[in-house]
Structure formats: structure tokens, C-alpha cells
Amino acid sequence: MARRVQIGVIGAGGIAFRKTIPGMLKARNCRLVAVMDPVGVERVAAAFGVTKAYTKEKDLLADPEVEAVYIASPVAYHAEQIMRAAEAKKHILCEKPLCLNLDQAKAAVAACRKHKVILQEGYMMKFHGAHAKIKELIDAGQLGKIVSMRAQLSCWYPRIEGAWRQDPKTGGGGALIDMATHLYDLLEYFAGPIKRIAALVGTLVQDYKSEDASTTLLEFRSGAHATVDCFYCIPDEASRTRLEIYGSRGAILSEGTIGQSQGGKLEGIFGLGDAAYDASQNKDVVRKFQRIRFAAVNPYTAECEYFANCILEGRAPEINNAQNALHLLTLVEKAYGSAKTRRIESV
């Protein structure tokens, strides 16, 4: 049997309990050996058949059986936990955002480099089968030149006592840093680096300190434009989580691929861009979009397998790596700065 990386989880509630641990257990090269959480850790251990349950991260990090950690605690704890894990020579998969701010992230990344441990960030949407297929089609030139994109991720997130995402001191911000960064990352995967950024943020409905509304305008180095809209104040049933990518020779549209599932619908239209100008502009042409099939991939399983492969092969991640984490927090700070100054920020 091939060797599996032995992983301990720091912060085993929330997304770890609902998505990442179940995905990790399906990964062919991962073995969950320990969980840590200050509250309810025995329940987590029992749910996943783990014998080692810790309430303090120092105890998990001292466990010689643990060779890598997945960190899914509130963002306010990430920097210190990353640095402690690096000092303990544990490889690290850390949930996004990497830290509260860019300065914290730089210190965390420096610690990982110093102690020669792998650091990967948990932006898992690039692992979704539909998004991998979109990347394949774009790279094959099926859309021609990418000119415009739109990505949407919203949810209903009412006030919850003690919810760390609802206070910038514990989450770094709200809808923008938590959700819009997923889409900055995904759109750069498709169209390359962002050149300029402008954002609006606000609190429109929910009663807490973090913003519940964000809209971002992006310009890429390629010249492509994009909008990203992310809200904590739109009911889940009202949002189709749409992804739209338009090029000079066609378009790809998706619904339900952005999020925490492996499903959704993908359709595209290709081979256009050679017709003469339509002076009538009636816009009643027949649009022959075709359904695009894609592999049903659990993005959390794929994310964990990629992380473990990097460890087993002794190589740094090519995607979701430390440099990408610093870049995304740079985008975050530029976006929040733009929202304050009402100016477009260069990246």
C-alpha cells in the first residue's frame, strides 16, 4: 500500500467537520491521525474514528505521529498557529484567508521558509471538476481572447453570537475577504494576474461589524475586465452562484459550480467571432449553447491529495502556495483601500 501522509487537524469544527475532514478521509494518500479543538473535540474524534483528540494545539504539534496539519481555526489564530507548526516541522494546509492581514502573512510565510515546511492555502475551488474543465477550454483557445468575466458567491449569514467572520478583529473583514477572495483567485486561474482593482463594501442588512456586501471591479494584465459580487445578505435560494466567461470567440456559463459542492451545470458556445456586423441589432438570434460535461470531483478531497502529493514528492505547491497567499492578501488590502478612498488601486 502506498504511503499516506499522517495529518492532524487544528480547529476541527465548522468547515473542517462539514467538508474538509470528510474529503480528506477519501483521499488515497492521506491518513487522519489526530484532531484538536478547544470545544467538542471528543464528538469530532468519535464521528471520524480518530483516537487522538486534543484541546490544545501544542499537544497536537508535539505528537510525533503527526507530520502535517490542516488549520481551520478562526483567522485571528492562523499566524501564530502557522508559525508554531513550522517550528514543529509540520507541513501546513491552512484555510483561507491565510492571516488577518498582509504583515501577519509575511511573518507566517517567513517561518515556513525558515523551517523548510510546505505551506498550502485552502482555496479549493480551482479543484472543482467544472473549473478544471473551463481552464482546459480556455488554454485550448476555445474562447479566443478573454474579454469579460463575472463571478457570484452569496449566502444568507444572519447575526450569530460569537461568529468570528462577523467581526473584522477575528476574521479580517466580512463578505469581501471571506468570499470575494475565492473568486479573485479563481478568475486569476482563468485569466492571469489582476492589474487594477476597485471595490464597494457596506453593511446593508445584517447587524454586525463586518461588511455584508461587496462588489469588485477588476482589470487584468491581459486587458480583460471582471466583476465579483459577494454578499452575506442574499438568501441562499435566491442566488444561483453564476460564473460567466466571455471571449472573442464564445462564452462559458456555469451555475452552482462556485461553492462547497462538486456539482453544478456548465454550458458553452464556441467557434464564433467571424460573422459580419449585424446592423439590425434585434438580439433575437438563436444561441446554441451546448452542455459541457465535467468530472465529479470532490474539491476538498482533491485539495488534500494535492497537498499530500507535494509532501510525498518533496516539492512546493504550484497553486495555492505561499506566494499566492501573499498576493491575495495584497488584493484584499487594495480592495478595502479602494472602498475607503473611492479610487481604483493598482496592484
PDB file of all heavy atoms in Angstrom, residues 304-337:
ATOM      1  N   CYS A 304      -6.728  18.016  -0.647  1.00  0.00           N
ATOM      2  CA  CYS A 304      -5.915  17.258   0.310  1.00  0.00           C
ATOM      3  C   CYS A 304      -4.937  16.337  -0.408  1.00  0.00           C
ATOM      4  O   CYS A 304      -3.781  16.189   0.021  1.00  0.00           O
ATOM      5  CB  CYS A 304      -6.814  16.458   1.249  1.00  0.00           C
ATOM      6  SG  CYS A 304      -7.772  17.476   2.402  1.00  0.00           S
ATOM      7  N   GLU A 305      -5.383  15.710  -1.492  1.00  0.00           N
ATOM      8  CA  GLU A 305      -4.493  14.834  -2.257  1.00  0.00           C
ATOM      9  C   GLU A 305      -3.335  15.623  -2.868  1.00  0.00           C
ATOM     10  O   GLU A 305      -2.185  15.157  -2.884  1.00  0.00           O
ATOM     11  CB  GLU A 305      -5.270  14.096  -3.344  1.00  0.00           C
ATOM     12  CG  GLU A 305      -6.172  12.999  -2.806  1.00  0.00           C
ATOM     13  CD  GLU A 305      -6.852  12.190  -3.894  1.00  0.00           C
ATOM     14  OE1 GLU A 305      -6.837  12.636  -5.068  1.00  0.00           O
ATOM     15  OE2 GLU A 305      -7.405  11.118  -3.576  1.00  0.00           O
ATOM     16  N   TYR A 306      -3.622  16.818  -3.351  1.00  0.00           N
ATOM     17  CA  TYR A 306      -2.576  17.663  -3.940  1.00  0.00           C
ATOM     18  C   TYR A 306      -1.546  18.032  -2.866  1.00  0.00           C
ATOM     19  O   TYR A 306      -0.330  17.959  -3.101  1.00  0.00           O
ATOM     20  CB  TYR A 306      -3.210  18.908  -4.536  1.00  0.00           C
ATOM     21  CG  TYR A 306      -2.233  19.841  -5.219  1.00  0.00           C
ATOM     22  CD1 TYR A 306      -1.798  19.583  -6.512  1.00  0.00           C
ATOM     23  CD2 TYR A 306      -1.753  20.972  -4.575  1.00  0.00           C
ATOM     24  CE1 TYR A 306      -0.905  20.432  -7.154  1.00  0.00           C
ATOM     25  CE2 TYR A 306      -0.856  21.827  -5.201  1.00  0.00           C
ATOM     26  CZ  TYR A 306      -0.443  21.555  -6.488  1.00  0.00           C
ATOM     27  OH  TYR A 306       0.459  22.385  -7.106  1.00  0.00           O
ATOM     28  N   PHE A 307      -2.023  18.432  -1.700  1.00  0.00           N
ATOM     29  CA  PHE A 307      -1.158  18.779  -0.568  1.00  0.00           C
ATOM     30  C   PHE A 307      -0.274  17.595  -0.191  1.00  0.00           C
ATOM     31  O   PHE A 307       0.954  17.726  -0.049  1.00  0.00           O
ATOM     32  CB  PHE A 307      -2.040  19.203   0.609  1.00  0.00           C
ATOM     33  CG  PHE A 307      -1.308  19.460   1.897  1.00  0.00           C
ATOM     34  CD1 PHE A 307      -0.313  20.416   1.986  1.00  0.00           C
ATOM     35  CD2 PHE A 307      -1.663  18.754   3.044  1.00  0.00           C
ATOM     36  CE1 PHE A 307       0.343  20.654   3.196  1.00  0.00           C
ATOM     37  CE2 PHE A 307      -1.022  18.990   4.244  1.00  0.00           C
ATOM     38  CZ  PHE A 307      -0.020  19.944   4.332  1.00  0.00           C
ATOM     39  N   ALA A 308      -0.878  16.430  -0.039  1.00  0.00           N
ATOM     40  CA  ALA A 308      -0.115  15.242   0.350  1.00  0.00           C
ATOM     41  C   ALA A 308       0.898  14.851  -0.720  1.00  0.00           C
ATOM     42  O   ALA A 308       2.024  14.442  -0.399  1.00  0.00           O
ATOM     43  CB  ALA A 308      -1.068  14.080   0.635  1.00  0.00           C
ATOM     44  N   ASN A 309       0.524  14.985  -1.987  1.00  0.00           N
ATOM     45  CA  ASN A 309       1.465  14.669  -3.066  1.00  0.00           C
ATOM     46  C   ASN A 309       2.693  15.577  -3.020  1.00  0.00           C
ATOM     47  O   ASN A 309       3.814  15.124  -3.264  1.00  0.00           O
ATOM     48  CB  ASN A 309       0.789  14.794  -4.429  1.00  0.00           C
ATOM     49  CG  ASN A 309       0.057  13.529  -4.835  1.00  0.00           C
ATOM     50  OD1 ASN A 309       0.380  12.444  -4.368  1.00  0.00           O
ATOM     51  ND2 ASN A 309      -0.932  13.671  -5.688  1.00  0.00           N
ATOM     52  N   CYS A 310       2.468  16.854  -2.725  1.00  0.00           N
ATOM     53  CA  CYS A 310       3.600  17.784  -2.610  1.00  0.00           C
ATOM     54  C   CYS A 310       4.555  17.332  -1.506  1.00  0.00           C
ATOM     55  O   CYS A 310       5.780  17.374  -1.674  1.00  0.00           O
ATOM     56  CB  CYS A 310       3.099  19.197  -2.338  1.00  0.00           C
ATOM     57  SG  CYS A 310       2.287  19.980  -3.754  1.00  0.00           S
ATOM     58  N   ILE A 311       3.999  16.884  -0.381  1.00  0.00           N
ATOM     59  CA  ILE A 311       4.837  16.397   0.731  1.00  0.00           C
ATOM     60  C   ILE A 311       5.591  15.142   0.316  1.00  0.00           C
ATOM     61  O   ILE A 311       6.809  15.038   0.508  1.00  0.00           O
ATOM     62  CB  ILE A 311       3.963  16.128   1.966  1.00  0.00           C
ATOM     63  CG1 ILE A 311       3.349  17.432   2.482  1.00  0.00           C
ATOM     64  CG2 ILE A 311       4.781  15.447   3.073  1.00  0.00           C
ATOM     65  CD1 ILE A 311       2.287  17.229   3.546  1.00  0.00           C
ATOM     66  N   LEU A 312       4.883  14.194  -0.259  1.00  0.00           N
ATOM     67  CA  LEU A 312       5.492  12.912  -0.628  1.00  0.00           C
ATOM     68  C   LEU A 312       6.563  13.066  -1.706  1.00  0.00           C
ATOM     69  O   LEU A 312       7.543  12.314  -1.736  1.00  0.00           O
ATOM     70  CB  LEU A 312       4.406  11.941  -1.098  1.00  0.00           C
ATOM     71  CG  LEU A 312       3.395  11.509  -0.028  1.00  0.00           C
ATOM     72  CD1 LEU A 312       2.244  10.743  -0.656  1.00  0.00           C
ATOM     73  CD2 LEU A 312       4.070  10.667   1.047  1.00  0.00           C
ATOM     74  N   GLU A 313       6.373  14.054  -2.577  1.00  0.00           N
ATOM     75  CA  GLU A 313       7.321  14.274  -3.667  1.00  0.00           C
ATOM     76  C   GLU A 313       8.365  15.331  -3.348  1.00  0.00           C
ATOM     77  O   GLU A 313       9.248  15.614  -4.168  1.00  0.00           O
ATOM     78  CB  GLU A 313       6.552  14.649  -4.939  1.00  0.00           C
ATOM     79  CG  GLU A 313       5.636  13.527  -5.434  1.00  0.00           C
ATOM     80  CD  GLU A 313       4.693  13.975  -6.532  1.00  0.00           C
ATOM     81  OE1 GLU A 313       4.862  15.110  -7.042  1.00  0.00           O
ATOM     82  OE2 GLU A 313       3.769  13.197  -6.885  1.00  0.00           O
ATOM     83  N   GLY A 314       8.255  15.944  -2.159  1.00  0.00           N
ATOM     84  CA  GLY A 314       9.229  16.935  -1.726  1.00  0.00           C
ATOM     85  C   GLY A 314       9.274  18.187  -2.582  1.00  0.00           C
ATOM     86  O   GLY A 314      10.331  18.742  -2.865  1.00  0.00           O
ATOM     87  N   ARG A 315       8.098  18.677  -2.985  1.00  0.00           N
ATOM     88  CA  ARG A 315       8.056  19.873  -3.837  1.00  0.00           C
ATOM     89  C   ARG A 315       7.039  20.872  -3.306  1.00  0.00           C
ATOM     90  O   ARG A 315       6.049  20.508  -2.661  1.00  0.00           O
ATOM     91  CB  ARG A 315       7.690  19.484  -5.271  1.00  0.00           C
ATOM     92  CG  ARG A 315       6.339  18.785  -5.395  1.00  0.00           C
ATOM     93  CD  ARG A 315       6.015  18.422  -6.843  1.00  0.00           C
ATOM     94  NE  ARG A 315       4.808  17.632  -6.958  1.00  0.00           N
ATOM     95  CZ  ARG A 315       3.572  18.136  -7.001  1.00  0.00           C
ATOM     96  NH1 ARG A 315       3.396  19.440  -6.944  1.00  0.00           N
ATOM     97  NH2 ARG A 315       2.525  17.331  -7.118  1.00  0.00           N
ATOM     98  N   ALA A 316       7.283  22.127  -3.561  1.00  0.00           N
ATOM     99  CA  ALA A 316       6.358  23.176  -3.139  1.00  0.00           C
ATOM    100  C   ALA A 316       5.132  23.184  -4.043  1.00  0.00           C
ATOM    101  O   ALA A 316       5.229  22.847  -5.231  1.00  0.00           O
ATOM    102  CB  ALA A 316       7.045  24.532  -3.192  1.00  0.00           C
ATOM    103  N   PRO A 317       3.976  23.544  -3.531  1.00  0.00           N
ATOM    104  CA  PRO A 317       2.783  23.622  -4.380  1.00  0.00           C
ATOM    105  C   PRO A 317       2.961  24.650  -5.491  1.00  0.00           C
ATOM    106  O   PRO A 317       3.550  25.713  -5.278  1.00  0.00           O
ATOM    107  CB  PRO A 317       1.681  24.069  -3.400  1.00  0.00           C
ATOM    108  CG  PRO A 317       2.204  23.747  -2.045  1.00  0.00           C
ATOM    109  CD  PRO A 317       3.684  23.876  -2.122  1.00  0.00           C
ATOM    110  N   GLU A 318       2.461  24.319  -6.675  1.00  0.00           N
ATOM    111  CA  GLU A 318       2.472  25.277  -7.778  1.00  0.00           C
ATOM    112  C   GLU A 318       1.274  26.212  -7.694  1.00  0.00           C
ATOM    113  O   GLU A 318       1.336  27.348  -8.158  1.00  0.00           O
ATOM    114  CB  GLU A 318       2.475  24.536  -9.111  1.00  0.00           C
ATOM    115  CG  GLU A 318       3.749  23.739  -9.372  1.00  0.00           C
ATOM    116  CD  GLU A 318       3.728  23.026 -10.710  1.00  0.00           C
ATOM    117  OE1 GLU A 318       2.786  23.268 -11.505  1.00  0.00           O
ATOM    118  OE2 GLU A 318       4.648  22.237 -10.974  1.00  0.00           O
ATOM    119  N   ILE A 319       0.174  25.724  -7.143  1.00  0.00           N
ATOM    120  CA  ILE A 319      -1.010  26.566  -6.931  1.00  0.00           C
ATOM    121  C   ILE A 319      -1.304  26.615  -5.440  1.00  0.00           C
ATOM    122  O   ILE A 319      -0.878  25.745  -4.675  1.00  0.00           O
ATOM    123  CB  ILE A 319      -2.237  26.043  -7.710  1.00  0.00           C
ATOM    124  CG1 ILE A 319      -2.589  24.618  -7.281  1.00  0.00           C
ATOM    125  CG2 ILE A 319      -1.991  26.089  -9.200  1.00  0.00           C
ATOM    126  CD1 ILE A 319      -3.885  24.118  -7.885  1.00  0.00           C
ATOM    127  N   ASN A 320      -2.002  27.657  -5.022  1.00  0.00           N
ATOM    128  CA  ASN A 320      -2.352  27.841  -3.600  1.00  0.00           C
ATOM    129  C   ASN A 320      -1.109  27.853  -2.712  1.00  0.00           C
ATOM    130  O   ASN A 320      -1.149  27.412  -1.565  1.00  0.00           O
ATOM    131  CB  ASN A 320      -3.314  26.747  -3.128  1.00  0.00           C
ATOM    132  CG  ASN A 320      -4.670  26.833  -3.798  1.00  0.00           C
ATOM    133  OD1 ASN A 320      -4.945  27.773  -4.526  1.00  0.00           O
ATOM    134  ND2 ASN A 320      -5.511  25.847  -3.565  1.00  0.00           N
ATOM    135  N   ASN A 321       0.006  28.344  -3.254  1.00  0.00           N
ATOM    136  CA  ASN A 321       1.248  28.344  -2.487  1.00  0.00           C
ATOM    137  C   ASN A 321       1.391  29.627  -1.675  1.00  0.00           C
ATOM    138  O   ASN A 321       0.513  30.495  -1.681  1.00  0.00           O
ATOM    139  CB  ASN A 321       2.444  28.139  -3.417  1.00  0.00           C
ATOM    140  CG  ASN A 321       2.483  29.155  -4.557  1.00  0.00           C
ATOM    141  OD1 ASN A 321       1.976  30.264  -4.438  1.00  0.00           O
ATOM    142  ND2 ASN A 321       3.079  28.761  -5.672  1.00  0.00           N
ATOM    143  N   ALA A 322       2.529  29.742  -0.989  1.00  0.00           N
ATOM    144  CA  ALA A 322       2.748  30.881  -0.097  1.00  0.00           C
ATOM    145  C   ALA A 322       2.715  32.201  -0.855  1.00  0.00           C
ATOM    146  O   ALA A 322       2.132  33.189  -0.376  1.00  0.00           O
ATOM    147  CB  ALA A 322       4.077  30.705   0.629  1.00  0.00           C
ATOM    148  N   GLN A 323       3.332  32.247  -2.024  1.00  0.00           N
ATOM    149  CA  GLN A 323       3.361  33.479  -2.794  1.00  0.00           C
ATOM    150  C   GLN A 323       1.960  33.899  -3.218  1.00  0.00           C
ATOM    151  O   GLN A 323       1.614  35.084  -3.208  1.00  0.00           O
ATOM    152  CB  GLN A 323       4.253  33.305  -4.032  1.00  0.00           C
ATOM    153  CG  GLN A 323       4.663  34.621  -4.688  1.00  0.00           C
ATOM    154  CD  GLN A 323       5.389  35.557  -3.746  1.00  0.00           C
ATOM    155  OE1 GLN A 323       6.246  35.126  -2.970  1.00  0.00           O
ATOM    156  NE2 GLN A 323       5.043  36.835  -3.793  1.00  0.00           N
ATOM    157  N   ASN A 324       1.133  32.934  -3.589  1.00  0.00           N
ATOM    158  CA  ASN A 324      -0.247  33.230  -3.954  1.00  0.00           C
ATOM    159  C   ASN A 324      -1.036  33.762  -2.767  1.00  0.00           C
ATOM    160  O   ASN A 324      -1.868  34.660  -2.909  1.00  0.00           O
ATOM    161  CB  ASN A 324      -0.926  31.979  -4.514  1.00  0.00           C
ATOM    162  CG  ASN A 324      -2.253  32.278  -5.173  1.00  0.00           C
ATOM    163  OD1 ASN A 324      -2.324  32.990  -6.170  1.00  0.00           O
ATOM    164  ND2 ASN A 324      -3.326  31.740  -4.614  1.00  0.00           N
ATOM    165  N   ALA A 325      -0.761  33.213  -1.580  1.00  0.00           N
ATOM    166  CA  ALA A 325      -1.434  33.683  -0.366  1.00  0.00           C
ATOM    167  C   ALA A 325      -1.110  35.146  -0.092  1.00  0.00           C
ATOM    168  O   ALA A 325      -1.997  35.947   0.252  1.00  0.00           O
ATOM    169  CB  ALA A 325      -1.025  32.820   0.824  1.00  0.00           C
ATOM    170  N   LEU A 326       0.165  35.518  -0.247  1.00  0.00           N
ATOM    171  CA  LEU A 326       0.566  36.911  -0.050  1.00  0.00           C
ATOM    172  C   LEU A 326      -0.071  37.806  -1.111  1.00  0.00           C
ATOM    173  O   LEU A 326      -0.514  38.926  -0.813  1.00  0.00           O
ATOM    174  CB  LEU A 326       2.085  37.033  -0.106  1.00  0.00           C
ATOM    175  CG  LEU A 326       2.872  36.303   0.994  1.00  0.00           C
ATOM    176  CD1 LEU A 326       4.364  36.470   0.771  1.00  0.00           C
ATOM    177  CD2 LEU A 326       2.483  36.789   2.380  1.00  0.00           C
ATOM    178  N   HIS A 327      -0.134  37.327  -2.336  1.00  0.00           N
ATOM    179  CA  HIS A 327      -0.743  38.095  -3.420  1.00  0.00           C
ATOM    180  C   HIS A 327      -2.222  38.351  -3.145  1.00  0.00           C
ATOM    181  O   HIS A 327      -2.712  39.475  -3.328  1.00  0.00           O
ATOM    182  CB  HIS A 327      -0.575  37.328  -4.731  1.00  0.00           C
ATOM    183  CG  HIS A 327      -1.349  37.892  -5.873  1.00  0.00           C
ATOM    184  ND1 HIS A 327      -1.082  39.132  -6.430  1.00  0.00           N
ATOM    185  CD2 HIS A 327      -2.410  37.384  -6.568  1.00  0.00           C
ATOM    186  CE1 HIS A 327      -1.935  39.355  -7.412  1.00  0.00           C
ATOM    187  NE2 HIS A 327      -2.749  38.316  -7.530  1.00  0.00           N
ATOM    188  N   LEU A 328      -2.937  37.336  -2.682  1.00  0.00           N
ATOM    189  CA  LEU A 328      -4.370  37.508  -2.428  1.00  0.00           C
ATOM    190  C   LEU A 328      -4.625  38.485  -1.294  1.00  0.00           C
ATOM    191  O   LEU A 328      -5.570  39.282  -1.345  1.00  0.00           O
ATOM    192  CB  LEU A 328      -5.019  36.152  -2.142  1.00  0.00           C
ATOM    193  CG  LEU A 328      -5.196  35.271  -3.386  1.00  0.00           C
ATOM    194  CD1 LEU A 328      -5.591  33.856  -3.002  1.00  0.00           C
ATOM    195  CD2 LEU A 328      -6.219  35.862  -4.345  1.00  0.00           C
ATOM    196  N   LEU A 329      -3.799  38.464  -0.265  1.00  0.00           N
ATOM    197  CA  LEU A 329      -3.960  39.447   0.812  1.00  0.00           C
ATOM    198  C   LEU A 329      -3.576  40.848   0.347  1.00  0.00           C
ATOM    199  O   LEU A 329      -4.117  41.844   0.847  1.00  0.00           O
ATOM    200  CB  LEU A 329      -3.170  39.033   2.047  1.00  0.00           C
ATOM    201  CG  LEU A 329      -3.883  37.984   2.902  1.00  0.00           C
ATOM    202  CD1 LEU A 329      -2.963  37.424   3.976  1.00  0.00           C
ATOM    203  CD2 LEU A 329      -5.150  38.562   3.552  1.00  0.00           C
ATOM    204  N   THR A 330      -2.666  40.945  -0.611  1.00  0.00           N
ATOM    205  CA  THR A 330      -2.387  42.243  -1.229  1.00  0.00           C
ATOM    206  C   THR A 330      -3.633  42.758  -1.936  1.00  0.00           C
ATOM    207  O   THR A 330      -3.996  43.935  -1.808  1.00  0.00           O
ATOM    208  CB  THR A 330      -1.227  42.129  -2.230  1.00  0.00           C
ATOM    209  OG1 THR A 330      -0.042  41.706  -1.545  1.00  0.00           O
ATOM    210  CG2 THR A 330      -0.960  43.465  -2.916  1.00  0.00           C
ATOM    211  N   LEU A 331      -4.312  41.865  -2.683  1.00  0.00           N
ATOM    212  CA  LEU A 331      -5.559  42.248  -3.342  1.00  0.00           C
ATOM    213  C   LEU A 331      -6.610  42.681  -2.324  1.00  0.00           C
ATOM    214  O   LEU A 331      -7.341  43.649  -2.550  1.00  0.00           O
ATOM    215  CB  LEU A 331      -6.090  41.084  -4.176  1.00  0.00           C
ATOM    216  CG  LEU A 331      -5.288  40.671  -5.408  1.00  0.00           C
ATOM    217  CD1 LEU A 331      -5.937  39.463  -6.083  1.00  0.00           C
ATOM    218  CD2 LEU A 331      -5.162  41.824  -6.400  1.00  0.00           C
ATOM    219  N   VAL A 332      -6.699  41.955  -1.210  1.00  0.00           N
ATOM    220  CA  VAL A 332      -7.656  42.299  -0.156  1.00  0.00           C
ATOM    221  C   VAL A 332      -7.410  43.717   0.355  1.00  0.00           C
ATOM    222  O   VAL A 332      -8.340  44.528   0.471  1.00  0.00           O
ATOM    223  CB  VAL A 332      -7.564  41.295   1.008  1.00  0.00           C
ATOM    224  CG1 VAL A 332      -8.295  41.812   2.241  1.00  0.00           C
ATOM    225  CG2 VAL A 332      -8.151  39.948   0.599  1.00  0.00           C
ATOM    226  N   GLU A 333      -6.169  44.011   0.662  1.00  0.00           N
ATOM    227  CA  GLU A 333      -5.859  45.328   1.219  1.00  0.00           C
ATOM    228  C   GLU A 333      -6.076  46.433   0.187  1.00  0.00           C
ATOM    229  O   GLU A 333      -6.529  47.528   0.526  1.00  0.00           O
ATOM    230  CB  GLU A 333      -4.448  45.328   1.784  1.00  0.00           C
ATOM    231  CG  GLU A 333      -4.322  44.361   2.961  1.00  0.00           C
ATOM    232  CD  GLU A 333      -3.082  44.548   3.813  1.00  0.00           C
ATOM    233  OE1 GLU A 333      -2.211  45.381   3.465  1.00  0.00           O
ATOM    234  OE2 GLU A 333      -2.990  43.874   4.864  1.00  0.00           O
ATOM    235  N   LYS A 334      -5.772  46.134  -1.079  1.00  0.00           N
ATOM    236  CA  LYS A 334      -6.047  47.099  -2.140  1.00  0.00           C
ATOM    237  C   LYS A 334      -7.549  47.327  -2.297  1.00  0.00           C
ATOM    238  O   LYS A 334      -8.012  48.458  -2.507  1.00  0.00           O
ATOM    239  CB  LYS A 334      -5.457  46.600  -3.458  1.00  0.00           C
ATOM    240  CG  LYS A 334      -3.947  46.521  -3.498  1.00  0.00           C
ATOM    241  CD  LYS A 334      -3.292  47.863  -3.637  1.00  0.00           C
ATOM    242  CE  LYS A 334      -1.791  47.741  -3.834  1.00  0.00           C
ATOM    243  NZ  LYS A 334      -1.133  49.063  -3.979  1.00  0.00           N
ATOM    244  N   ALA A 335      -8.327  46.249  -2.195  1.00  0.00           N
ATOM    245  CA  ALA A 335      -9.788  46.356  -2.351  1.00  0.00           C
ATOM    246  C   ALA A 335     -10.403  47.171  -1.219  1.00  0.00           C
ATOM    247  O   ALA A 335     -11.216  48.071  -1.463  1.00  0.00           O
ATOM    248  CB  ALA A 335     -10.404  44.962  -2.401  1.00  0.00           C
ATOM    249  N   TYR A 336     -10.036  46.856   0.021  1.00  0.00           N
ATOM    250  CA  TYR A 336     -10.561  47.634   1.144  1.00  0.00           C
ATOM    251  C   TYR A 336     -10.087  49.086   1.074  1.00  0.00           C
ATOM    252  O   TYR A 336     -10.827  50.016   1.408  1.00  0.00           O
ATOM    253  CB  TYR A 336     -10.146  47.006   2.469  1.00  0.00           C
ATOM    254  CG  TYR A 336     -10.980  45.800   2.867  1.00  0.00           C
ATOM    255  CD1 TYR A 336     -10.381  44.592   3.192  1.00  0.00           C
ATOM    256  CD2 TYR A 336     -12.368  45.876   2.956  1.00  0.00           C
ATOM    257  CE1 TYR A 336     -11.133  43.474   3.566  1.00  0.00           C
ATOM    258  CE2 TYR A 336     -13.137  44.782   3.329  1.00  0.00           C
ATOM    259  CZ  TYR A 336     -12.509  43.587   3.633  1.00  0.00           C
ATOM    260  OH  TYR A 336     -13.265  42.485   4.014  1.00  0.00           O
ATOM    261  N   GLY A 337      -8.846  49.286   0.616  1.00  0.00           N
ATOM    262  CA  GLY A 337      -8.349  50.654   0.451  1.00  0.00           C
ATOM    263  C   GLY A 337      -9.155  51.409  -0.586  1.00  0.00           C
ATOM    264  O   GLY A 337      -9.497  52.584  -0.388  1.00  0.00           O
TER     265      GLY A 337
END
